[in-house]
């Protein structure tokens, strides 16, 4: 090119140059897209950092109730009770129902046990029949992230490729399931969490702030043999809580994060049996004659 009255831009072909003779396809691609590709690779690397998540992290279990685990006498007038918390914070995959592992006993229990057969599994086992109420308290963090590239300062292939990050909330669903000893469903109930957060925000901001939820369910189960009966486990009922969330994807690259927070500060699953015992019943052994009607 010619540049009368001015200096040539960096990299421009000028008189006395070879005008690109000897350049092959690879060198042309490098000259026209090298800078843009470098920006894109940097954006991809940043995006990949969001995918490097640890499956579980230890949660805080400091609570005064821990010192009362063996104090069964405090439940002398209680028909049935038990509470569990999560020992870990857990990352959840999207679009999948995941049973939340309430695996650590908190305080004393009666007619209830905290069942944790393996890591990542935990629920309450009810060992007496009658009317029960189960309450859950939990907290969730999470967001959807999208990356879109656009050309800045020139036409496609000649300008600078710039990444645009967007962040959107997630919408979790929570479900209680009451199962018999064979794993068959007795009863279930679902609770949907909605978000008042701005969609597609340009910064992470409050999108990843913890959102707390509380959920309860009341149900009736059949009478069961005494806990000491060898056949009793075949009649026990199990209660678990599951979470499923749906992402809002934007961008050509996208990912979704969701973590349910454990520990005594953020999590609990409690079962309380409404007493079937009758007290202070006053009745007369003999009823007086009321005389004739009419």
């Amino acid at each position: 090119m010619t540049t009368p009255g001015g200096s040539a831009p960096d990299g421009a072909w000028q008189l006395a140059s070879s005008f690109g003779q000897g350049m092959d396809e690879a060198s042309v691609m490098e000259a026209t897209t090298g800078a843009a590709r470098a920006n894109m690779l940097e954006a991809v690397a940043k995006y990949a950092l969001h995918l490097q998540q640890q499956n579980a992290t230890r949660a805080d279990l400091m609570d005064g109730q821990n010192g009362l685990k063996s104090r069964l006498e405090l439940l002398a007038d209680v028909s049935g009770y038990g509470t569990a918390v999560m020992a870990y914070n857990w990352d959840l995959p999207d679009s999948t129902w995941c049973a939340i592992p309430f695996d650590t006993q908190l305080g004393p229990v009666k007619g209830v046990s905290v069942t944790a057969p393996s890591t990542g599994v935990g629920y309450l086992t009810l060992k007496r029949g009658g009317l029960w109420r189960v309450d859950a308290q939990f907290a969730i963090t999470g967001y959807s992230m999208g990356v879109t590239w656009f050309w800045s300062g020139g036409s496609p292939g000649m300008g600078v490729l710039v990444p645009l990050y967007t962040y959107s909330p997630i919408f979790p669903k929570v479900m209680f399931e009451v199962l018999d000893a064979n794993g068959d469903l007795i009863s279930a109930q679902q609770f949907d969490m909605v978000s008042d957060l701005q969609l597609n925000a340009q910064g992470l901001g409050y999108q990843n702030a913890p959102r707390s939820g509380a959920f309860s369910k009341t149900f009736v189960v059949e009478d069961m043999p005494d806990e000491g009966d060898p056949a009793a486990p075949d009649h026990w009922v199990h209660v678990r809580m599951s979470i499923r969330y749906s992402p809002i994807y934007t961008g050509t690259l996208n990912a979704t994060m969701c973590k349910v927070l454990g520990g005594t500060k953020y999590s609990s699953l409690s079962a309380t049996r409404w007493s079937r015992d009758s007290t202070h019943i006053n009745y007369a052994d003999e009823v007086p004659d009321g005389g004739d009607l009419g």
Side-chain angles (χ1 to χ4, degrees), residues 31-233:
T32 57
T33 67
R37 187 169 64 254
N39 288 335
M40 183 183 70
L41 293 176
E42 180 183 1
V44 171
K46 292 179 180 178
Y47 166 80
L49 290 177
H50 288 268
L51 303 181
Q52 297 175 5
Q53 301 179 80
Q54 187 175 3
N55 182 50
T57 55
R58 192 75 182 179
D60 184 5
L61 298 176
M62 299 296 293
D63 192 284
Q65 291 285 295
N66 287 320
L68 303 178
K69 287 184 178 180
S70 60
R71 299 289 303 278
L72 191 59
E73 78 279 5
L74 297 175
L75 300 179
D77 296 327
V78 176
S79 179
Y81 169 79
T83 293
V85 299
M86 291 188 295
Y88 292 88
N89 307 309
W90 291 94
D91 293 316
L92 306 180
D94 67 272
S95 305
T96 303
W97 281 107
C98 296
I100 305 304
F102 289 93
D103 54 3
T104 302
Q105 180 180 327
L106 184 66
V109 296
K110 183 177 182 180
V112 177
S113 66
V114 179
T115 304
S118 63
T119 301
V121 178
Y123 49 88
L124 296 180
T125 297
L126 312 183
K127 300 180 178 181
R128 298 180 180 181
L131 177 61
W132 287 87
R133 173 177 168 131
V134 178
D135 295 89
Q137 184 261 326
F138 51 91
I140 296 174
T141 64
Y143 59 96
S144 293
M145 183 190 72
V147 183
T148 301
W149 289 273
F150 65 94
W151 292 97
S152 176
S155 59
M158 299 301 292
V160 178
L161 198 59
V162 179
L164 173 66
Y165 295 90
T166 59
Y167 302 92
S168 302
I170 57 175
F171 297 91
K173 300 176 183 294
V174 183
M175 181 167 59
F176 272 157
E177 292 177 294
V178 184
L179 309 170
D180 65 16
N182 297 319
D184 295 327
L185 186 65
I186 297 175
S187 183
Q189 193 168 1
Q190 182 174 303
F191 169 74
D192 290 359
M193 297 181 67
V194 298
S195 174
D196 58 357
L197 303 178
Q198 179 186 1
L199 297 180
N200 303 327
Q202 298 305 308
L204 185 55
Y206 291 104
Q207 302 288 11
N208 200 36
R211 279 185 282 162
S212 294
F215 188 30
S216 65
K217 178 175 176 59
T218 305
F219 55 92
V220 177
V221 294
E222 295 280 358
D223 286 331
M224 305 178 192
D226 184 85
E227 294 178 35
D229 190 321

Side-chain angles (χ1 to χ4, degrees), residues 66 241 280:
N66 287 320
M241 192 189 89
H280 304 296

